[in-house]
């Protein structure tokens, strides 16, 4: 089974649009079609970003709805602890925890729109960083 890390930008897109590749990837995770790798820092970021008032207004969801979805993800994910810290590696220090989740979780891929900051770092560890649509095609 593939082991995938979903970057926060993909989660935002999944909540923003019910027809895009990001939503399909999120639904695939919830259906158990791949192993979703999650670290505490990544889950905290998901919650912080997805429960912002502007994000809730865009998605049309309430805080309880978002937390319920995140609880479902937490219940089926493969939890990742950080045995090693790899900093700085990403082009943006705010993305290092995404890469650390992937490296420590032995990910097969990272789903992200942020190729500029993550792709080179991912290549160093043999982990492709792909847009959600491209990742779905490979699956």
């Amino acid at each position: 089974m593939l082991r995938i890390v979903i970057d926060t930008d993909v989660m935002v897109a999944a909540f923003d649009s019910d027809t895009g590749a990001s939503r399909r990837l999120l639904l695939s995770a919830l259906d158990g079609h791949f192993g979703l790798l999650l670290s505490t820092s990544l889950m905290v970021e998901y919650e912080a970003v997805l429960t912002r008032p502007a994000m809730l207004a865009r998605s049309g969801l309430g805080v309880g709805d978002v937390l319920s979805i995140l609880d479902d993800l937490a219940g089926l994910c493969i939890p990742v602890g950080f045995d090693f810290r790899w900093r700085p590696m990403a082009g943006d220090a705010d993305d290092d925890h995404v890469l650390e989740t992937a490296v420590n979780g032995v990910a097969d891929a990272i789903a992200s729109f942020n190729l500029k900051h993550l792709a080179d770092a991912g290549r160093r560890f043999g982990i492709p960083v792909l847009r959600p649509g491209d990742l779905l095609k490979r699956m």
Side-chain angles (χ1 to χ4, degrees):
M1 177 177 284
L2 287 177
R3 298 165 66 92
I4 297 172
V5 174
I6 298 178
D7 195 357
T8 306
D9 60 353
V10 174
M11 290 295 290
V12 167
F15 278 71
D16 267 348
S17 170
D18 59 355
T19 60
S22 297
R23 176 68 65 94
R24 289 195 322 270
L25 189 64
L26 174 59
L27 292 174
S28 291
L30 289 166
D31 289 340
H33 293 155
F34 61 86
L36 176 65
L37 299 172
L38 274 175
S39 61
T40 301
S41 62
L42 192 53
M43 181 58 91
V44 167
E45 183 176 72
Y46 286 173
E47 182 177 336
V49 171
L50 295 172
T51 59
R52 290 178 184 160
M55 185 65 217
L56 294 171
R58 283 197 333 245
S59 70
L61 297 172
V63 171
D65 299 319
V66 172
L67 295 179
S68 178
I69 293 166
L70 294 179
D71 284 347
D72 289 346
L73 290 175
L76 62 82
C77 77
I78 300 168
V80 177
F82 292 166
D83 295 325
F84 296 99
R85 298 279 184 180
W86 301 95
R87 294 180 184 230
M89 289 299 288
D92 180 347
D94 289 339
D95 294 318
D96 280 332
H97 70 282
V98 174
L99 182 66
E100 287 174 334
T101 302
V103 171
N104 284 289
V106 192
D108 295 301
I110 298 171
S112 181
F113 292 107
N114 191 1
L115 304 183
K116 176 182 177 184
H117 292 135
L118 286 171
D120 286 341
R123 265 192 294 280
R124 290 182 202 153
F125 294 96
I127 302 170
V129 180
L130 303 164
R131 295 178 188 274
D134 294 333
L135 183 53
L136 285 168
K137 288 175 188 172
R138 288 190 180 196
M139 293 171 57

